């Protein structure tokens, strides 16, 4: 028993160490490349690092889902065995749901690092916060793959990670739209898709993936996309506060849905969530100068 526990702790330590190196050193190298203004290299390395993240997540998934009694006869046979479980829709859906959060965290950080050229302190904050979030994701995902269930404390912590991820991608999507003069339609679409994916993953982990609840998160995603229209029109300088404003909306609507699914939605709970939402909105609006103007594309 002690030997099994020691082996499990060693394996967990290796898993955490690998994703820590991939996340932290990967993002640090991207910041260094970006600050040298090597755009093409930045994109290539970004894709390469993400590929490593996918491979490592697949390795963790494969470790707990592979057929342990089958021996590979050749390299080709070994690869086929490693991918065999994806032939089952239930396994493939299970795995692809856990691609969502790390992908949003990583690409949100990649975008913000890219558009904040030589803003060293800001880049370091994004690198450290995102690395910690990715380490939490991969550590908890490994436990989920092993035990085939999501513990309540893991679900709650991952919910907070999703709040950071939502802020990261909301701010990044608005920032890159301004930076490269893309159409705002892209911004609205990204907000809708990202919100839907985050909520869909939450439902999947909460084992509440019914048609009724999918329709509810679809409505929430539409509401976020609608709010992004007004954000694009009103905000003109600080896309970080814009992302925080949209995260406040996301958090409020998700908590209402979560308590409703738990059958704990009372007038008091609703009032508490509304108060938190209003406090965040007041703080965001208080630090945002809407009179400030920058030259950006107008559509």
């Amino acid at each position: 028993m002690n030997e099994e526990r020691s082996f499990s702790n060693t394996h967990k330590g290796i898993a955490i160490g690998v994703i820590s190196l991939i996340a932290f050193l990967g993002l640090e190298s991207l910041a260094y490349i970006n600050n040298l203004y090597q755009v093409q290299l930045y994109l290539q390395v970004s894709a390469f690092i993400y590929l490593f993240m996918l491979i490592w997540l697949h390795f963790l998934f494969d470790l707990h889902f592979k057929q342990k009694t089958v021996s590979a006869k050749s390299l080709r046979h070994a690869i086929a065995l490693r991918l065999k479980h994806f032939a089952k829709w239930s396994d493939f859906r299970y795995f692809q749901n856990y691609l969502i959060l790390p992908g949003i965290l990583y690409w949100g950080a990649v975008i913000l690092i890219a558009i904040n050229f030589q803003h060293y302190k800001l880049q370091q904050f994004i690198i450290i916060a995102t690395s910690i979030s990715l380490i939490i994701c991969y550590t908890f995902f490994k436990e989920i793959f092993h035990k085939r269930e999501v513990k309540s404390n893991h679900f709650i912590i991952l919910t907070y990670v999703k709040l950071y991820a939502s802020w990261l991608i909301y701010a990044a999507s608005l920032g890159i739209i301004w930076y490269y003069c893309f159409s705002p339609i892209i911004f609205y679409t990204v907000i809708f898709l990202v919100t839907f994916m985050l909520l869909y993953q939450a439902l999947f982990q909460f084992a509440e993936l019914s048609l009724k609840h999918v329709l509810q998160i679809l409505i929430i995603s539409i509401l976020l996309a609608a709010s992004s229209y007004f954000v694009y029109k009103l905000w003109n300088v600080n896309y970080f506060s814009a992302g925080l404003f949209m995260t406040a909306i996301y958090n409020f609507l998700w908590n209402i849905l979560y308590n409703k699914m738990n059958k704990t939605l009372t007038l008091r709970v609703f009032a508490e969530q509304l108060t938190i939402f209003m406090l965040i909105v007041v703080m965001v609006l208080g630090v945002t100068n809407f009179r400030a103007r920058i030259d950006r594309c107008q559509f």
Side-chain angles (χ1 to χ4, degrees), residues 7-35:
F7 178 79
S8 177
N9 291 335
T10 301
H11 194 273
K12 186 183 297 184
I14 293 172
I16 294 173
V18 170
I19 190 57
S20 299
L21 289 174
I22 294 174
F24 184 74
L25 293 182
L27 291 175
E28 283 287 1
S29 65
L30 286 177
Y32 178 77
I33 294 169
N34 180 66
N35 292 329

